[in-house]
Amino acid sequence: MVARTLSISSDGVHLAILDQEEKLNKMYSYFEPKVFQSFVEFLSAFGNFLASNKIKSPLWGTNFNYQEGERNISYLADSSIAFEQSFSRYLKQNFKEGVDLGGPKEEANLKSKFTLQVQDLFKSTAETALAPFWIGLQQVTVLGGAPGETIERALQDGKSQLNFVNDILDHYTHDRWISSALLKKSEKGELLPKVLSEHFGTQEVERRYLYKIHGAELSQEWKSFGLVDIFEDGGASFKKTGLISFLDENFRWMYSIQKELNFTNEWIVENQHKVKFFHGANLDRTGFSQMMKLFMMGQKVVLDLTGLPPELDRRLQIFMLENSLKVQTVNFVTTINLSELGDGRFITYEGSRLQTEETTRKFWSHLFRYFNLNHVDINLGTDVFSLWRIRATSPTELNYLDVRRVNFYNPTSYKKQVTIHTKGGFAFLKMIDPSKATAKSVSHGVEVELLPHGRIALDFGHYEET
């Protein structure tokens, strides 16, 4: 069974994907006029059904996409004959005197603009038809939904659990929401259901879809826990300057790369402890103002000045003068400027100076020692995965500030070892739900043994060092 890009102009088919029943499903082009007509008819019938049955549930629209390498591609993206014919009609209607595409780049820009207009057409049509129920639009990445994955999954060996878990943790780091609807039970194996339920389960659905607003303060419910937020679509600039490599080595899966800042009171309080990284070239006036507000609220903010627009650079200098902020300057690989305001820390540096692997590693090690992020040290191989959560203490745990749980997963066919150095500030409490795994306390912390496809969770009490 082979999936491929199809070019059947009669029905507008442009892609095929394999579902959980191992059936190859043709996906019709969004640019085929009959598809939009059917979409309108469905919305009308669905809206009437909700109204007649007095159903008041909120509705979300979903833009499904798939991951191909480092690119996140919407299923709206198309290269079928149906798209080319629709694009030709678009050019004739909007450029009646003709248009000089001027080359591949100009043509690609026009096609991108046209695609966004069609996407907005589908969205606005749904929003209008379902107005009393409509909440908004969510991006969802489909596991196993890329053309290459469809071919791989159709082969006898299929796609391994290791590769699926790798994908899931990559989506987790990039703050993408995922769907496992295409995966059959054997593909999920022993570990995927646990990973999905524990870290993409009901509570995360409620938070993501705003069905339930969770309090910013810690409670007895477990929350996902990280140490760093990076605000840049894809994180390309921070990969270039070595930050991503440093985090993968020292704080793996404890950072998040986000497209935009969710500037709400709940988010600000919930993520108070995190270090926030911004890149000058990606900031506009709104983003700059929000970044500085975080600093004034007592948060740790780091800004790469590379590409910062001159207007924002002037605003930064004025901000420093108006607030009489003292600036400490350290020359280490590049110029580091540090300002303090109450508990807030604001650091700027020139990322363009971070060029060699050796200097970038030294720079980030030096910078993170200043932050002194209080957390346990873990030695684990590249094929062992870990995710952290946090909750408030119970009445029997009042000696601690909070309780942190780490889940380890071994999706390989080999036995794996993990060593946790608890150091000062942390105490090992217990292990939870071990499956093909054991843990034992040693003088320097905890040692974990994970058999093939094994998993285990460990709880640590975090107390204030004296």
Side-chain angles (χ1 to χ4, degrees), residues 53-85:
N53 288 276
K54 298 181 179 179
I55 298 174
K56 298 182 179 180
S57 298
L59 293 179
W60 286 90
T62 302
N63 187 348
F64 286 100
N65 52 70
Y66 61 89
Q67 195 71 15
E68 194 169 72
E70 294 189 356
R71 296 191 303 155
N72 197 254
I73 304 173
S74 169
Y75 283 111
L76 189 69
D78 199 341
S79 59
S80 68
I81 292 178
F83 171 82
E84 295 296 339
Q85 292 174 340

Side-chain angles (χ1 to χ4, degrees), residues 447-461:
E447 290 185 350
V448 177
E449 182 178 89
L450 293 156
L451 296 179
H453 307 292
R455 69 174 191 275
I456 193 172
L458 305 178
D459 280 0
F460 293 88

Side-chain angles (χ1 to χ4, degrees), residues 265-320:
N265 290 333
E266 290 79 15
W267 184 91
I268 291 169
V269 175
E270 186 175 354
N271 295 276
Q272 180 81 18
H273 64 284
K274 292 184 181 180
V275 182
K276 280 84 174 174
F277 284 84
F278 296 86
H279 196 276
N282 300 316
L283 285 175
D284 56 16
R285 295 183 65 179
T286 299
F288 178 85
S289 297
Q290 291 175 340
M291 176 185 69
M292 301 313 295
K293 285 179 182 177
L294 290 176
F295 167 50
M296 297 180 73
M297 291 175 180
Q299 303 211 16
K300 304 179 186 72
V301 176
V302 183
L303 171 63
D304 182 348
L305 293 170
T306 305
L308 183 69
E311 176 198 355
L312 298 184
D313 186 50
R314 287 193 295 272
R315 292 184 66 184
L316 177 58
Q317 303 309 318
I318 293 171
F319 175 88
M320 294 294 184

Side-chain angles (χ1 to χ4, degrees), residues 334-397:
T334 181
T335 302
I336 305 171
N337 295 312
L338 167 65
S339 303
E340 299 182 358
L341 184 63
D343 292 331
R345 301 291 182 271
F346 182 63
I347 294 177
T348 65
Y349 68 98
E350 290 284 354
S352 58
R353 300 275 299 276
L354 304 177
Q355 296 181 355
T356 68
E357 184 177 343
E358 182 180 358
T359 57
T360 56
R361 187 183 296 112
K362 289 180 179 179
F363 173 81
W364 294 119
S365 296
H366 179 76
L367 190 63
F368 274 81
R369 277 197 296 272
Y370 166 76
F371 288 127
N372 190 28
L373 299 178
N374 195 10
H375 198 61
V376 300
D377 292 329
I378 299 179
N379 294 332
L380 73 169
T382 56
D383 293 341
V384 177
F385 299 84
S386 64
L387 286 173
W388 284 88
R389 288 179 287 171
I390 189 172
R391 66 165 171 81
T393 56
S394 68
T396 60
E397 300 166 330

